Amino acid sequence: MSKPLVVITGASSGIGAAIAQHMSDAGHPLLLLARRLEKLEAMNLPNTLCRQVDVTDTAVLSTAIQEAEALYGPVDCLVNNAGKMLLGNIESQSAEEWREMFDVNVLALMNCMQAVLADMKSRGRGTILNISSIAGVKTFINHAAYCGTKYAVSAISETVREEVAASGVRIMTLCPGAVETELLSHTTSEEIIKAYEEWKASIGGAINAEDIARTAMFMYSQPQHVNIREVQIAATGQDR
């Protein structure tokens, strides 16, 4: 392949699917990972391996990466996009929802980083782009556990960036504000969903997955010696 392999988690919809399309259009072979295999395959992208993978399962994750590398060569870019947003108030939210978010948003992200980092360091190049959130930079009401996971993503990303900087590997963090994706539908409180939708309307609407994909492509497309460490992106009208 003339372009190196890109791995994208949570690639079946929203931001992940948009980044997959842009990476494919740029000529990259892809490994797309998600729970909904049919949606990955429906994208019908060339030079793409689609696998139904729970990113919290390190063995299955490693197998999928090895399979893709056997076809397309080593992973040059990992986009950690898989995530859950289960909004709730700390007084009443289910502890199971906290665990779900920390398992996917934090532990699985670390699993994926660990799966590719050693090889990237040995080659002296590679990029890991972690999708965090504005909720990893500032707090929001009814976001306590979610903010906790995204602050963790931002802190982990910056820490690992420092650890691997001398090796030539780049760790980047992309922090979107409100985005029109399926993410809000994971929330179980209808009252919180209603309030969130009213807030989005009051700011003139959210940005969309294409806005995030273009930004991700700009970050990754810089020369390897240039690391855009963190980008915050939101609708101009977003007030918080």
Side-chain angles (χ1 to χ4, degrees):
M1 303 298 300
S2 60
K3 294 285 184 74
L5 174 63
V6 175
V7 178
I8 304 171
T9 70
S12 60
S13 65
I15 292 170
I19 294 175
Q21 185 66 63
H22 279 253
M23 289 287 189
S24 181
D25 290 346
H28 290 278
L30 303 173
L31 169 61
L32 303 183
L33 306 176
R35 292 173 292 111
R36 298 175 294 182
L37 181 62
E38 70 283 356
K39 286 188 171 288
L40 297 177
E41 294 176 337
M43 295 172 70
N44 196 31
L45 299 177
N47 300 312
T48 296
L49 187 65
C50 300
R51 288 293 178 264
Q52 185 176 37
V53 170
D54 178 347
V55 286
T56 65
D57 188 328
T58 55
V60 175
L61 172 67
S62 295
T63 297
I65 290 173
Q66 290 166 13
E67 187 180 1
E69 290 186 322
L71 288 172
Y72 303 123
V75 177
D76 189 64
C77 179
L78 164 66
V79 180
N80 266 319
N81 172 70
K84 285 193 172 187
M85 185 174 77
L86 302 168
L87 303 184
N89 188 283
I90 198 75
E91 294 181 43
S92 57
Q93 188 172 21
S94 161
E96 182 56 35
E97 292 191 350
W98 305 341
R99 282 190 289 270
E100 284 183 44
M101 284 190 286
F102 275 90
D103 281 348
V104 176
N105 297 0
V106 181
L107 299 181
L109 174 135
M110 295 173 74
N111 289 342
C112 293
M113 293 178 76
Q114 189 176 67
V116 301
L117 260 178
D119 188 56
M120 286 182 175
K121 287 176 67 178
S122 70
R123 290 184 286 111
R125 66 166 292 121
T127 301
I128 295 176
L129 175 57
N130 290 332
I131 307 299
S132 182
S133 172
I134 292 293
V137 178
K138 68 176 301 297
T139 56
F140 296 84
I141 291 172
N142 293 323
H143 285 59
Y146 182 69
C147 280
T149 68
K150 290 302 184 177
Y151 266 79
V153 169
S154 295
I156 290 163
S157 300
E158 176 59 12
T159 302
V160 178
R161 185 199 64 75
E162 293 181 17
E163 292 173 349
V164 304
S167 72
V169 176
R170 303 184 299 186
I171 311 295
M172 301 175 169
T173 311
L174 180 51
C175 301
V179 183
E180 292 294 351
T181 69
E182 297 178 2
L183 206 57
L184 182 62
S185 67
H186 300 166
T187 294
T188 52
S189 169
E190 292 299 326
E191 182 180 355
I192 290 175
I193 291 175
K194 182 174 181 291
Y196 194 97
E197 293 289 3
E198 289 173 350
W199 169 68
K200 282 198 303 183
S202 75
I203 64 170
I207 54 178
N208 58 53
E210 283 293 314
D211 298 320
I212 309 303
R214 289 196 309 274
T215 305
M217 289 299 296
F218 173 76
M219 295 170 74
Y220 174 54
S221 65
Q222 300 307 305
Q224 187 68 30
H225 72 277
V226 175
N227 186 359
I228 300 177
R229 298 180 182 182
E230 181 180 286
V231 170
Q232 297 177 30
I233 175 172
T236 302
Q238 181 167 336
D239 52 358
R240 51 188 170 90

